[in-house]
Amino acid sequence: NLAEHCSMSSNLDRASVYYFHNERFVMLARWSRHPEYTRPGRRDYPTGQGAIGDAWDRGSVVTVLPPTRRRWDQRLESHHGFPSGTASKLSMHCQSIAAHRIEHDHHAVGVIVFESTDPSRANQMTLDTLVDSKLYATLRELVAAVASWTPRVEAAKVTAPTQPLPG
């Protein structure tokens, strides 16, 4: 419903929602009318990569990417933090992206990303429509709840066994 509300529900588009957990983004939901675009990609995404990382750092981002796959792969690797060879494995060759950091009670909790294979579909109007939506207010609550319910996994501190003092 939110993708439709933001005019991002054609066969060219998809919307993905991520929550922030253990210094990474974990996909919570993905929707598209196109069956290939609904498939989940990687399980999690690093903070310094792609539109997800840019929106996390800046609050929101709108990006238009090159139409040819070779130049698209190069741009993702040279400007958007993708390691060599990673971009070529992505299934959707999106040409426009609009991403927005999700905040709840003044805390960043996730990111929503709209992508389209049409270079003009995901734009600033998409994000403006998003933030004015009551559906987005509900999504913020949901993402915050999932982020807070997910247990934090921390590496256990290993200490060397102590020797008893002589005496």
Side-chain angles (χ1 to χ4, degrees), residues 134-163:
K134 291 182 180 182
L135 293 168
Y136 175 62
T138 303
L139 178 68
R140 288 182 11 218
E141 296 281 334
L142 174 67
V143 173
V146 170
S148 69
W149 292 338
T150 305
R152 302 279 181 232
V153 178
E154 296 183 26
K157 293 183 179 179
V158 179
T159 58
T162 57
Q163 301 271 335

Side-chain angles (χ1 to χ4, degrees), residues 51-52 55 59-63 97-101 111-114 127 130:
I52 300 168
S60 66
V61 65
V62 174
T63 302
I97 303 172
H100 185 75
R101 180 175 60 215
V111 174
I112 183 167
V113 179
F114 295 99
L127 298 180
L130 169 74

Side-chain angles (χ1 to χ4, degrees), residues 10 38 72 109 122 128 130 148 165:
S10 82
T38 59
W72 187 81
V109 294
D128 293 344
L130 169 74
S148 69
L165 295 173

Side-chain angles (χ1 to χ4, degrees), residues 86-102:
T86 304
S88 64
K89 295 176 185 169
L90 300 177
S91 60
M92 184 181 186
H93 178 191
C94 60
Q95 291 186 28
S96 59
I97 303 172
H100 185 75
R101 180 175 60 215
I102 300 169

Side-chain angles (χ1 to χ4, degrees), residues 5 10 16 19 29 35 51 67 74-75 81 84-85 90 94 106 116 120 149 156 162-163:
H5 180 77
S10 82
S16 303
Y19 67 96
Q74 290 171 343
R75 172 80 63 82
S84 181
L90 300 177
C94 60
H106 308 290
S116 182
S120 63
W149 292 338
T162 57
Q163 301 271 335

Side-chain angles (χ1 to χ4, degrees), residues 1-10 13-15 31-33 114 121 126 129 133 135:
N1 289 338
L2 189 55
E4 286 180 8
H5 180 77
C6 294
S7 300
M8 290 296 299
S9 62
S10 82
D13 310 328
R14 83 171 166 200
W31 180 86
S32 176
R33 288 194 190 283
F114 295 99
R121 285 189 60 76
T126 306
T129 303
S133 170
L135 293 168

